[in-house]
């Protein structure tokens, strides 16, 4: 089992324990804010499982049915995450609304907060493990997971303080107000995830900075060619596709043109890890004089 897989499974198991603790805390207190905190954890568990399945599917090599690979499976799980987040936010906002209308005192508030606090401590420890391991193994994904979890801890701690203040002051509106804040926070996170996966589903091109580097590599590596044009790039999950037309002297051999393409391809693969490059070779009368001029 790979190291990343072990950590991913660890995250899921720990999130299940944290979810259990938060559900207990909610049942003990009847607090809407603690319910929203538990629901946020539920979304985390569900999306962690979906992401694990998606990453494994996405890593499968291309086959007869899916000649372009399975990279977009990762985008599916992100869309699923977005849908779940929106459902969770609607549930929380509905209960917060009820809470505003009919204020009810919290049951066993301190015990509930202690259980919720224990969940936060567990989460914080796991954040530290993820970030530490991520830095050690140079995995930005792990570090990002750790930082995401850290945000959850921060929101949990805010909720705990909110409920604490509600208990001390007797301001019962503070409980649904905290819940509504959690709902908005979840929605914001969900929106960012959806936005990212939407651009992947719509075959968004590489960012401008990378695109400029791709042009630079073609301009310097394609010596012997005249120009390149109709450059198109797209990213699907972790895969990147680059394609363009390469204008070469019509009299050179197919072998020479192919060698030229292989050289550019190798350089591009060094620039964008694991990219798939398709080059269409053309003679000089097809030049558009508007593309990348080869140096
Ligand atoms: Zn062309
Ligand atoms: Zn070839």
């Amino acid at each position: 089992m790979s190291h990343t897989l072990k950590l991913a499974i660890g995250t899921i198991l720990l999130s299940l324990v944290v979810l259990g603790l938060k559900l207990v805390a909610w049942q003990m207190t009847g607090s809407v804010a603690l319910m929203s905190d538990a629901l946020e954890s539920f979304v985390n568990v569900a999306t962690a499982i979906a992401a694990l399945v998606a990453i494994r599917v996405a890593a499968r090599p291309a086959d007869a049915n899916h000649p372009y690979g399975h990279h977009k499976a990762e985008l599916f799980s992100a869309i699923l995450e977005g849908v779940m987040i929106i459902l969770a936010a609607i549930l929380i906002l509905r209960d917060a609304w009820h809470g505003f209308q009919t204020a009810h005192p919290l049951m066993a508030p301190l015990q509930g907060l202690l259980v919720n606090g224990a969940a936060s401590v567990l989460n914080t420890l796991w954040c530290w493990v993820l970030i530490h391991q991520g830095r050690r193994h140079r995995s930005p994904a792990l570090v990002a997971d750790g930082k995401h979890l850290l945000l959850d801890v921060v929101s949990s701690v805010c909720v705990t303080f909110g409920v604490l203040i509600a208990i001390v002051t007797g301001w019962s509106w503070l409980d649904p107000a905290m819940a509504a804040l959690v709902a908005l926070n979840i929605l914001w996170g969900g929106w960012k995830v959806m936005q990212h996966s939407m651009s992947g589903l719509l075959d968004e091109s590489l960012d401008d900075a990378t695109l400029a580097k791709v042009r630079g590599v073609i301009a310097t590596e394609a010596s012997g060619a005249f120009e390149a044009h109709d450059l198109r790039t797209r990213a699907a999950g972790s895969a990147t596709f680059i394609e363009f037309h390469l204008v070469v002297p019509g009299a050179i051999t197919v072998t020479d043109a192919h060698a030229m393409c292989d050289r550019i391809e190798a350089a591009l693969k060094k620039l964008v890890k694991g990219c798939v490059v398709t080059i269409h070779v053309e003679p000089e009368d097809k030049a558009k004089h508007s593309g990348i001029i080869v140096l």
Side-chain angles (χ1 to χ4, degrees):
M1 204 192 292
S2 83
H3 194 73
T4 336
L5 185 62
K6 265 187 220 162
L7 283 172
I9 292 174
T11 302
I12 291 171
L13 291 179
L14 182 109
S15 306
L16 278 172
V17 175
V18 166
L19 171 62
L21 287 174
K22 286 186 176 176
L23 284 175
V24 169
W26 164 42
Q27 283 302 317
M28 283 167 88
T29 56
S31 153
V32 194
L34 291 188
M35 181 212 64
S36 65
D37 203 20
L39 216 50
E40 185 178 9
S41 272
F42 173 77
V43 171
N44 283 345
V45 174
T47 54
I49 295 173
L52 186 64
V53 174
I55 287 170
R56 292 186 76 76
V57 173
R60 276 188 209 159
D63 54 31
N65 275 341
H66 307 91
Y68 291 93
H70 301 81
H71 315 284
K72 286 192 178 178
E74 278 182 61
L75 303 172
F76 262 117
S77 93
I79 297 286
L80 185 74
E81 179 172 357
V83 170
M84 265 188 305
I85 283 170
I86 290 168
L87 284 179
I90 291 173
L91 273 178
I92 296 171
L93 286 175
R94 192 197 63 177
D95 278 40
W97 177 246
H98 285 309
F100 274 126
Q101 287 183 319
T102 47
H104 56 89
L106 302 181
M107 309 167 282
L110 285 179
Q111 291 92 318
L113 285 183
L114 279 178
V115 174
N116 216 53
S120 286
V121 170
L122 274 180
N123 250 344
T124 312
L125 286 176
W126 191 248
C127 283
W128 182 81
V129 171
L130 282 180
I131 295 175
H132 183 79
Q133 292 288 322
R135 294 215 168 116
R136 230 183 81 190
H137 295 272
R138 292 166 196 275
S139 162
L142 278 182
V143 176
D145 279 354
K147 287 190 175 159
H148 170 95
L149 205 59
L150 202 60
L151 273 184
D152 290 349
V153 173
V154 171
S155 109
S156 253
V157 170
C158 289
V159 165
T160 307
F161 269 108
V163 174
L164 204 60
I165 294 171
I167 297 164
V168 174
T169 58
W171 296 339
S172 51
W173 56 265
L174 204 54
D175 182 39
M178 288 310 294
L181 273 181
V182 171
L184 292 179
N185 184 33
I186 300 179
L187 271 181
W188 174 240
W191 165 243
K192 281 194 290 187
V193 171
M194 294 276 267
Q195 214 180 16
H196 175 74
S197 42
M198 284 297 179
S199 20
L201 282 178
L202 290 175
D203 288 336
E204 198 173 71
S205 79
L206 293 177
D207 59 276
D208 289 344
T210 317
L211 213 50
K213 283 186 200 153
V214 167
R215 287 171 184 284
V217 164
I218 298 173
T220 49
E221 294 296 326
S223 54
F226 294 119
E227 65 158 43
H229 59 244
D230 291 2
L231 171 67
R232 292 195 294 175
T233 60
R234 67 188 175 95
S238 57
T240 306
F241 297 87
I242 299 173
E243 50 187 80
F244 57 91
H245 298 184
L246 185 68
V247 180
V248 302
I252 69 170
T253 62
V254 173
T255 309
D256 286 346
H258 184 256
M260 210 181 276
C261 292
D262 271 356
R263 201 171 61 230
I264 305 172
E265 212 176 306
L268 285 174
K269 282 195 168 145
K270 238 184 252 166
L271 175 70
V272 185
K273 210 179 127 241
C275 68
V276 177
V277 184
T278 309
I279 306 172
H280 172 79
V281 173
E282 295 174 331
E284 56 260 57
D285 61 306
K286 298 287 180 196
K288 288 190 175 173
H289 306 294
S290 60
I292 303 159
I293 307 298
V294 174
L295 299 174

